[in-house]
Structures are given as C-alpha cells and as structure tokens.
Amino acid sequence: MNNNHIEIIGFIAAFLTTAAFLPQVYKTWKTKDVSGLSLPMLLMFFVGIVLWLVYAIYINSPSMIMANVITIVSSFFLIYFKIKYDKK
Amino acid sequence: MNNNHIEIIGFIAAFLTTAAFLPQVYKTWKTKDVSGLSLPMLLMFFVGIVLWLVYAIYINSPSMIMANVITIVSSFFLIYFKIKYDKK
C-alpha cells in the first residue's frame, strides 16, 4: 500500500463520515427543532474540528483537510441554527 | 512547531471531538429513544471511522488512532441501541 492508496482510503472515509453528518444539518434546518442539540457540545466539537484541520494541514493530508473543512461548515450551520431557533 | 507539538494539538482535538460525542451515547442509553437515529447513517459513519483508523495506523498518528478507537466504540453502542430498542 503506497501513499496514493492510503489517500483513497482517506477520501472514502471522508465521504462516509461527512455524508453521515449532513442529514442532521438538513433535518435541523427543516424542522427548526434544536432542542436535542447542546450549544456547549457543539462549540466543543467545532473547536475540536478546527484543531483537527490544523493537524491535517501540518501533516499535509488532503483527505483529512477535506473532511474537516466540510465538517467545520456543517457544524457552523448547526451552531447558527441552535442560536437562531432557540430564542423563538 | 515540531511533531510533539502537533501531537498535542491532535490529542486536544481528539478529546474535544470524542467528548462531544459521548453525551449522545449516554442520552440514547438513558432515554432508549432511538427514533432520531438512522441505522444506514450509523453504519455509514461506522465504516467511515474504521477506514479513518486504517488511515491513522498507516500514517502512524497516535492522536488519530485514539480518537477513532473511542469513536468506533461509541458508534458501536449507538448501533447496538438502535437495533435493540427499535424492535420494542
């Protein structure tokens, strides 16, 4: 297994883990039900993912960079929905 | 920044992202409410995390290995709860 093969595994992993996250974002957007979401947990997760992105850039891993950028965008939306819909 | 520094960032990232996941497992265990969980999504996520673990072992990243092992165990429990409580 060379570096190209392992990057293919990384991209499949990135696809599977980020794709599993997107229905949650869609469901929250459609239902506006944020009762099950915890803001401290979302913020912790967000900071964690930002640090994984720093890590991924440092070790120069294209698949990890892609996965973390998509997850940062997804969790940013969840945080935005949580703040916006919780006040209503 | 050397390799030790980046591993410290990785371990902080691992702590934050896995810790944000554990309350979901605990909540599902306590409430037995698995209606919001989708089995295909859980299985997709599980396979994705297993592939990330393969990736982490290949690139020899201790923090990624730790994060993925914890997340594999967590999502295994969610899959188990989903199958067990959905039938009732």
Side-chain angles (χ1 to χ4, degrees), chain A residues 1-3 6-7 9-10 12-17 19-20 23 27 35-36 41 44-45 47-49 51-52 54-55 58-59 61-64 67, chain B residues 1-3 6-7 9-10 12-17 19-20 23 27 35-36 41 44-45 47-49 51-52 54-55 58-59 61-64 67:
Chain A
M1 198 154 64
N2 64 30
N3 283 338
I6 197 68
E7 274 311 310
I9 289 179
I12 297 169
F15 172 77
L16 290 172
T17 49
K27 191 182 173 188
S35 62
M41 290 301 155
M44 252 173 76
F45 186 74
V47 174
I49 294 292
L51 293 181
W52 277 130
V54 172
Y55 188 94
Y58 183 82
I59 68 170
S61 160
S63 53
M64 265 188 86
Chain B
M1 199 154 61
N2 64 30
N3 282 339
I6 197 68
E7 274 311 310
I9 289 178
I12 297 169
F15 173 77
L16 291 172
T17 48
K27 191 182 173 187
S35 63
M41 289 301 154
M44 252 174 77
F45 186 74
V47 174
I49 294 290
L51 292 180
W52 276 132
V54 172
Y55 188 94
Y58 183 82
I59 68 169
S61 159
S63 53
M64 265 187 86

Side-chain angles (χ1 to χ4, degrees), chain A residues 11-82:
Chain A
F11 276 110
I12 297 169
F15 172 77
L16 290 172
T17 49
T18 56
F21 202 66
L22 294 177
Q24 177 66 59
V25 179
Y26 179 75
K27 191 182 173 188
T28 307
W29 176 60
K30 289 301 274 185
T31 62
K32 297 180 174 52
D33 177 10
V34 292
S35 62
L37 297 175
S38 150
L39 190 58
M41 290 301 155
L42 283 175
L43 293 173
M44 252 173 76
F45 186 74
F46 187 80
V47 174
I49 294 292
V50 169
L51 293 181
W52 277 130
L53 181 61
V54 172
Y55 188 94
I57 292 168
Y58 183 82
I59 68 170
N60 201 15
S61 160
S63 53
M64 265 188 86
I65 291 171
M66 190 192 74
N68 285 302
V69 166
I70 295 172
T71 311
I72 283 172
V73 174
S74 306
S75 46
F76 178 82
F77 274 108
L78 286 181
I79 291 168
Y80 172 76
F81 292 149
K82 176 68 183 172

Side-chain angles (χ1 to χ4, degrees), chain B residues 5-73:
Chain B
H5 292 140
I6 197 68
E7 274 311 310
I8 291 169
I9 289 178
F11 276 110
I12 297 169
F15 173 77
L16 291 172
T17 48
T18 56
F21 202 64
L22 294 178
Q24 178 66 60
V25 180
Y26 179 75
K27 191 182 173 187
T28 307
W29 176 60
K30 289 301 273 184
T31 62
K32 298 179 174 51
D33 177 11
V34 292
S35 63
L37 296 175
S38 151
L39 190 58
M41 289 301 154
L42 283 175
L43 293 174
M44 252 174 77
F45 186 74
F46 187 79
V47 174
I49 294 290
V50 170
L51 292 180
W52 276 132
L53 180 61
V54 172
Y55 188 94
I57 292 168
Y58 183 82
I59 68 169
N60 200 16
S61 159
S63 53
M64 265 187 86
I65 292 171
M66 191 190 75
N68 285 302
V69 167
I70 295 172
T71 310
I72 283 172
V73 174

